[in-house]
Each structure stands twice: as structure tokens, then as C-alpha cells.
């Protein structure tokens, strides 16, 4: 597991040597069009802001998925083998895993993987207090760079990838992720994946443009993080949250739009912005049940079962690859 490394706060004005965060920021802000990878939303503040998003009236995906899990957890758990290790990709506050763990006596240990290391450690401490009989092995790192898990983790593994975090990948990246997850979990393994569904553009628009402005704060926190960790001087009042549904690509796009022509410094790098120019910060792809099944089948997985309320879906997939 490649543990996420960023430059320590204000350490280097010259951005040398480049940590992974610094290198990705330089690459993204010198590219045309400008973009930044969404995985950098999640420092301690970003993870807490995401938790607030999940409670917003407009953000239906979490409510939908929680109620699907509450209704069908026993059936989902019955697909997992005895003595399984449950590996969660992007565990956040583990709220959804708690539902499965509550009914699945067949789960021997829980392995939450998350890039937001401080948040992950706090969450694991709470889980250990609440579930003292469960072995918990948190892994702080990037789940797109997965290598072998520690040998101590049970050989029969099940994967859990809720939240529609898979929608934050480009479809070809989602396919590569599914292939790598298959290698990590082993032949015959079950993967439970939460996938948001395409629906009315108005409902989608509101989910990413909440009235309270929490999603805007979540998006802008990326600039706060660059200022703090990489010595940037973004003035937050000169950038706006933009989120809209791109129907051709079946995805919500999030951007940070420069409200005027300006220069921003990040260490020694100077970045020019035109008025209205944006940094593309996230895509959130929306699938149909059939389009997601086709993606999974093309990546070595056999669809076993799907649970849906029409807004959101949870798929059980079985790994068919060697
Ligand atoms: N599973 C939770 C949280 C979803 S939010 C839920 O369903 O509510 C997405 C989570 O994935 C965040 O906790 C974020 O820190 C984590 N994450 C995003 N990109 C990641 C990456 N490349 N590697 C590891 N974790 C990542
Ligand atoms: C984690 N991920 C699936 C969320 C989403 O809906 O794409 C992140 C998010 N971005 C804005 N609001 C929530």
C-alpha cells in the first residue's frame, strides 16, 4: 500500500523534492484544462465535511444506501464465507460497514482502507470501543495502488465499496480498479459495491448544490489544503463552487471557478487564471443497473444480486478471474 505522502506544512518554498500531493498539484494546475484529483479532498477537515454532506436533505445517496443495507444486510452477509475478512475501500466513518458487521457473524476481521489517515485512525479507535470482539486492521493509503495485504489477514476475503465512490473514477479507471480488487480478494470472492443511478437532472443538481453550502465548502477545502500544506496563496473569495450534470457523460462535474483574472502562487510556481476559468475537481458518474453490470462483467466479475430503491443500487459481484 502506497501511504499517501505530502510535503509537511510550509516546508519548502521551492516544492522540491516533490511529494505526491505537490507533484499532482503542479501537474494538474499546469495542464489545460486545469484539474485536481478528488482523492485530495480528504484530509481531516474534508472527511468531516463529507460526513456533513451525508446528512444533508438534498444528498439522497447516503440515505438510500443506508436503508438498502438496513433492509438487506442479512441477505448480503449470507453471501460471504465463514471467517471472512471484510475489506472496505474508502471506509470514511464506517457507518455502512457497522450495519453489515452487526448482522454478519461470519466476518472475522474488518480492514478499513482510507487515504484520510487521521480520520481513519480516529474511526478505528471508536470501532474498537464499540466492537471489542472484532479484529480491526486499518490501512492508511491509496486504494488505487493496492499491493498484497498483510499475511495476517484471513485468506477468505470479501470486499465492500459503498458510497458510489466507484463513480468518482473514469469508467476505464473503475474497470482497472475492479480488476485489481479481484486480484487482491481472490477467485470466488464477493464484492459489495454501492453505485448511484442516473436520474432526474434536477435531483442530481440539488444533491451537489445544497442550500447550506456544505458541498461548496468541501470543494473549496482543496484550496485551503494546498495553502496550508504546500505554501499556496489561494484567496478563497476569488473562487466559486460550480457543480452541474453533464448528461452526455452521465456524470456530475464539480469545478472551482476563478471569479476574475488572477495569479496564484504555490511555492515557487505561479499559476495564471482567466476570469471564469475552472479547476475540474471531481466527476461523479451515474450508472444504470445494466451499464454497471456490463462494466463489472468486462472486469472479471459476475453479477450475483442487486438491491435498489430506484435511486441507488448495491451490487453483489463474484470474482470470476484467475
Ligand atoms: N464509504 C463511506 C465514505 C465514502 S467517501 C460512505 O460510503 O459513506 C469516499 C471515501 O473514500 C473517503 O473516506 C475518502 O477518504 C476515501 N478515498 C477517496 N479516494 C481514495 C483513494 N484513492 N484511496 C483510499 N481512500 C480514498
Ligand atoms: C464519495 N463520493 C462518491 C461523493 C460523490 O457523490 O461523488 C463525493 C461528493 N462530492 C460532492 N458531494 C459528495
Amino acid at each position: 500500500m502506497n501511504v499517501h505522502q505530502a510535503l509537511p506544512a510550509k516546508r519548502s518554498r521551492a516544492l522540491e523534492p516533490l511529494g505526491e500531493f505537490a507533484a499532482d498539484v503542479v501537474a494538474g494546475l499546469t495542464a489545460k484544462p486545469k484539474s485536481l484529483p478528488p482523492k485530495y479532498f480528504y484530509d481531516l477537515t474534508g472527511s468531516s465535511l463529507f460526513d456533513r454532506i451525508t446528512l444533508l436533505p438534498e444528498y439522497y445517496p447516503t440515505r438510500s444506501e443506508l436503508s438498502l443495507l438496513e433492509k438487506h444486510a442479512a441477505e448480503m452477509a449470507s453471501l460471504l464465507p465463514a471467517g471472512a475478512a471484510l475489506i472496505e475501500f474508502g471506509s470514511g466513518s464506517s457507518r455502512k460497514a457497522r450495519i453489515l458487521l452487526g448482522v454478519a457473524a461470519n466476518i472475522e476481521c474488518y480492514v478499513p482502507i482510507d487515504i484520510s489517515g487521521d480520520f481513519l485512525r480516529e474511526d478505528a479507535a471508536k470501532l474498537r470501543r464499540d466492537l471489542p470482539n472484532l479484529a480491526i486492521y486499518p490501512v492508511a493509503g491509496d486504494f488505487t495502488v493496492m499491493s498484497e495485504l498483510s499475511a495476517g489477514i484471513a485468506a477468505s476475503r470479501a470486499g465492500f465499496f459503498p458510497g458510489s465512490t466507484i463513480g468518482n473514477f473514469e469508467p476505464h479507471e473503475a474497470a482497472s480498479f475492479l480488476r485489481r480488487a479481484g486480484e487482491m480478494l481472490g477467485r470466488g470472492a464477493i464484492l459489495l459495491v454501492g453505485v448511484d443511478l442516473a436520474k432526474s437532472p434536477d435531483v442530481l443538481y440539488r444533491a451537489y448544490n445544497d442550500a447550506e453550502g456544505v458541498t461548496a465548502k468541501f470543494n473549496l477545502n482543496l484550496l485551503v489544503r494546498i495553502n496550508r500544506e504546500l505554501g499556496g496563496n489561494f484567496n478563497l473569495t476569488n473562487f466559486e463552487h460550480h457543480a452541474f450534470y453533464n448528461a452526455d457523460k452521465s456524470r456530475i462535474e464539480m469545478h472551482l471557478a476563478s471569479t476574475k483574472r488572477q495569479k496564484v502562487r504555490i511555492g515557487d510556481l505561479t499559476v495564471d487564471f482567466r476570469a471564469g476559468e475552472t479547476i475540474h475537481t471531481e466527476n461523479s458518474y451515474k450508472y444504470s443497473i445494466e451499464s454497471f453490470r456490463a462494466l463489472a462483467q468486462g472486469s472479471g466479475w459476475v453479477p450475483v444480486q442487486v438491491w435498489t430503491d430506484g435511486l441507488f443500487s448495491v451490487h453483489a459481484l463474484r470474482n470470476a478471474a484467475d
Side-chain angles (χ1 to χ4, degrees), residues 42 50 53 59 163-165 168 208 215 218 254 282 284 286:
Y42 302 96
F50 177 75
I53 289 175
Y59 195 75
S164 203
T165 305
N168 297 135
Y208 293 83
T215 311
F218 174 73
M254 285 209 322
E282 187 182 64
S284 197
K286 309 301 171 186

Side-chain angles (χ1 to χ4, degrees), residues 145-172:
V145 198
M146 287 179 293
S147 52
E148 260 313 286
L149 284 176
S150 141
I153 292 170
S156 67
R157 293 166 180 172
F160 188 38
F161 196 22
S164 203
T165 305
I166 197 158
N168 297 135
F169 290 132
E170 289 299 319
H172 74 274

Side-chain angles (χ1 to χ4, degrees), residues 1 38-43 47 50-51 54 62 65 88-96 113-117 119 139-145 160-165 168-169 218:
M1 192 63 54
K39 66 181 179 183
Y40 294 119
F41 283 136
Y42 302 96
D43 60 357
S47 293
F50 177 75
D51 265 3
T54 65
T62 307
E65 192 175 24
E88 179 167 359
F89 302 100
S91 49
S93 62
S94 301
R95 204 168 148 205
K96 294 165 187 168
I113 304 176
D114 207 290
I115 203 161
S116 192
F119 196 83
V139 178
D142 184 337
F143 55 49
T144 64
V145 198
F160 188 38
F161 196 22
S164 203
T165 305
N168 297 135
F169 290 132
F218 174 73

Side-chain angles (χ1 to χ4, degrees), residues 103-151:
V103 298
N106 44 348
I107 295 176
E108 191 172 276
C109 74
Y110 174 53
V111 183
I113 304 176
D114 207 290
I115 203 161
S116 192
D118 293 334
F119 196 83
L120 174 76
R121 280 180 281 276
E122 284 181 11
D123 183 64
K126 283 185 213 147
L127 266 179
R128 285 196 179 106
R129 271 198 303 274
D130 296 344
L131 301 168
N133 296 322
L134 181 72
I136 299 168
Y137 303 114
V139 178
D142 184 337
F143 55 49
T144 64
V145 198
M146 287 179 293
S147 52
E148 260 313 286
L149 284 176
S150 141

Side-chain angles (χ1 to χ4, degrees), residues 13-91:
R13 310 309 301 172
L15 292 180
E16 289 294 344
L18 291 184
E20 191 188 342
F21 181 33
D24 287 347
V25 167
V26 171
L29 296 186
T30 52
K32 282 180 190 164
K34 295 179 170 62
S35 68
L36 289 170
K39 66 181 179 183
Y40 294 119
F41 283 136
Y42 302 96
D43 60 357
L44 199 51
T45 307
S47 293
S48 306
L49 283 168
F50 177 75
D51 265 3
R52 281 179 60 195
I53 289 175
T54 65
L55 302 175
L56 292 168
E58 298 93 335
Y59 195 75
Y60 64 85
T62 307
R63 265 193 315 282
S64 270
E65 192 175 24
L66 283 171
S67 76
L68 289 170
L69 286 166
E70 265 149 17
K71 257 194 221 147
H72 303 290
E75 197 187 342
M76 293 174 189
S78 73
L79 298 171
L80 311 182
L86 185 71
I87 322 284
E88 179 167 359
F89 302 100
S91 49

